[in-house]
Amino acid sequence: MQLQTRVRNALLAATLIAPVGVAVASPVDALPPDVLPVVVGNSTGRGDATYLYVIGTDLGSGRLGYVNQAGAFTPWPAGQNPPSPAPDVAIPGPGNGGSGTINVPRGFSGRVYFSLGSKLDFRLTPDGLVQPAPWAEGDANRDILFDWSEFTYNDGGLWLNSSQVDMFAVPHAVSVTGSDGSTSTTGEPKPGGRQAVIDTLRSDPAWSRSVYTRSDGTVLRVLAPGKAAGAGQLDPGYLDSYISSAWDAYASKTLTVQPFGDRPDTKFFGHTSGNVMTFTDGSGAQVASFNKPSSASVWGCDGDLPSPNDQVVGPISRTLCAALNRGTLGTIDTQPSTSAADFYRTSPTNLYAKAVHANMIDGKAYAFAYDDVGNFESLVHADDPRSASITLSSFGQGVR
């Protein structure tokens, strides 16, 4: 099961600016509730039936499965090759203007899927669940309007985010209320924000094919650049010229990476020779090197930009990935840059991330894998939550 839970990335990468991590309760600490209620609201303005799915991993056993509306976990049955249909585990969702409650057990990490108009088609292989991949030709969910939030709920609390890492489809706000009564909310688009993102991408010839419209005129999604390029809807080398310019800049100057907000004295220094950027620590010892990444590596924050869960290579790589997506590498020589006013000013640039962030009320989104570098991600957290919510936001006038 290829569950791309960006919350997990957040837990690994949040220390790039703020020292946030998974708290482990001590014996004297009170644990969060065994089951956490999550209210799902529907403000889309659409008349479709909605369906909810809670799928992921039981953290205690490592088993993959689903959670029912009451919060009980069930492992998936064995799958087959070719993939066999998964059990129908849809939870009826709220109609427009309504809300409903699902429950999540402590010790679970996964996704809350929500589809409008049709149920999703899930399949099982011997390795686990096949996730919907509507950017792939022939995917059974290609013509369904759907999206998801991602979360981890464990002894350290709840991490919940709206995700645009793969696509922008159904904008949704996420919130959590702690035991002290305080509520944190993020992910809410500006009025007309969904349509503004669509219009921005559609009006640029290089990006217009990343907007996918169903035969009835419903815009189902805008693909993130990595998915669009993989599907042949965006030039696979779109960002290459900027990457080369940014990379080559450090043949004649030094890039300083300070990846830990709580350890500002930890610095790494990068210089480019040919296509390789090499980093040294404060003692002058070489600690990491990276080949000049392709556009695909930047979009995915992988490939030439591997990010192991260590204290050197991973943090440097995540910082490089964020700087290249935001267009600040090459001109801002101490990274990460944390001024949003400096982002997405290069040409070419990550227009998808720029448009998504520009149309969020608080400017926060998960438009690429390490958008949490600098705390620009649409993530809420409470170490002792009492409730949470996911609100499917208005599609605006025309509800298309």
Side-chain angles (χ1 to χ4, degrees):
M1 175 180 177
Q2 300 296 318
L3 185 62
Q4 300 171 350
T5 305
R6 300 300 169 183
V7 173
R8 293 175 184 172
N9 287 343
L11 303 184
L12 294 176
T15 52
L16 294 173
I17 290 298
V20 177
V22 178
V24 179
S26 70
V28 297
D29 292 330
L31 292 174
D34 290 342
V35 177
L36 185 72
V38 180
V39 176
V40 179
N42 183 345
S43 299
T44 60
R46 297 185 61 89
D48 310 273
T50 60
Y51 305 94
L52 309 175
Y53 304 81
V54 184
I55 65 171
T57 304
D58 176 77
L59 298 176
S61 66
R63 299 191 70 178
L64 308 176
Y66 61 93
V67 170
N68 67 13
Q69 188 166 6
F73 171 77
T74 301
W76 293 113
Q80 301 175 356
N81 279 321
S84 55
D88 180 1
V89 298
I91 300 168
N96 181 50
S99 64
T101 300
I102 56 178
N103 292 278
V104 174
R106 192 176 73 245
F108 191 79
S109 180
R111 291 177 171 177
V112 178
Y113 278 95
F114 29 88
S115 65
L116 285 75
S118 299
K119 292 183 178 182
L120 293 172
D121 185 309
F122 289 99
R123 301 276 165 158
L124 292 168
T125 71
D127 294 327
L129 187 71
V130 179
Q131 301 283 346
W135 43 85
E137 193 72 37
D139 185 86
N141 300 288
R142 188 176 179 88
D143 285 329
I144 297 176
L145 179 61
F146 75 97
D147 217 320
W148 64 86
S149 283
E150 301 186 331
F151 69 92
T152 292
Y153 182 42
N154 62 18
D155 291 355
L158 175 73
W159 289 260
L160 172 66
N161 72 275
S162 61
S163 176
Q164 302 84 27
V165 171
D166 294 325
M167 65 184 191
F168 177 82
V170 181
H172 51 285
V174 294
S175 70
V176 62
T177 299
S179 59
D180 62 356
S182 62
T183 298
S184 300
T185 302
T186 190
E188 179 68 20
K190 295 177 180 178
R194 182 181 192 270
Q195 190 62 47
V197 172
I198 293 166
D199 290 345
T200 297
L201 276 295
R202 187 182 262 163
S203 65
D204 188 303
W207 293 83
S208 61
R209 292 186 299 155
S210 66
V211 180
Y212 184 72
T213 304
R214 196 165 59 194
S215 59
D216 65 357
T218 301
V219 177
L220 296 180
R221 64 192 64 91
V222 180
L223 295 180
K227 299 304 183 187
Q233 307 304 313
L234 179 70
D235 178 0
Y238 175 82
L239 207 60
D240 287 359
S241 62
Y242 162 65
I243 295 168
S244 291
S245 174
W247 212 250
D248 293 347
Y250 297 102
S252 57
K253 59 180 178 177
T254 299
L255 171 64
T256 300
V257 171
Q258 297 175 270
F260 305 109
D262 59 334
R263 287 181 275 156
D265 293 336
T266 299
K267 301 178 183 180
F268 303 103
F269 306 97
H271 293 90
T272 301
S273 177
N275 286 333
V276 179
M277 184 179 293
T278 300
F279 284 87
T280 57
D281 62 16
S283 72
Q286 182 175 325
V287 295
S289 64
F290 301 89
N291 293 322
K292 182 174 71 175
S294 64
S295 291
S297 292
V298 173
W299 301 140
C301 294
D302 55 15
D304 296 315
L305 293 172
S307 51
N309 185 21
D310 63 5
Q311 292 294 299
V312 178
V313 177
I316 295 172
S317 181
R318 292 190 284 269
T319 304
L320 290 174
C321 180
L324 286 165
N325 270 285
R326 294 167 178 163
T328 58
L329 195 72
T331 54
I332 298 177
D333 301 328
T334 297
Q335 292 287 348
S337 169
T338 57
S339 172
D342 295 325
F343 297 173
Y344 311 114
R345 299 179 66 178
T346 55
S347 180
T349 197
N350 186 339
L351 185 62
Y352 172 86
K354 179 180 181 179
V356 171
H357 278 278
N359 287 287
M360 295 295 175
I361 287 175
D362 60 6
K364 295 192 172 187
Y366 249 125
F368 58 89
Y370 291 114
D371 221 351
D372 47 0
V373 172
N375 299 325
F376 290 95
E377 77 281 14
S378 50
L379 172 74
V380 292
H381 166 68
D383 56 11
D384 189 17
R386 288 299 178 265
S387 64
S389 69
I390 301 169
T391 302
L392 314 186
S393 305
S394 172
F395 277 37
Q397 293 184 347
V399 289
R400 284 268 183 214

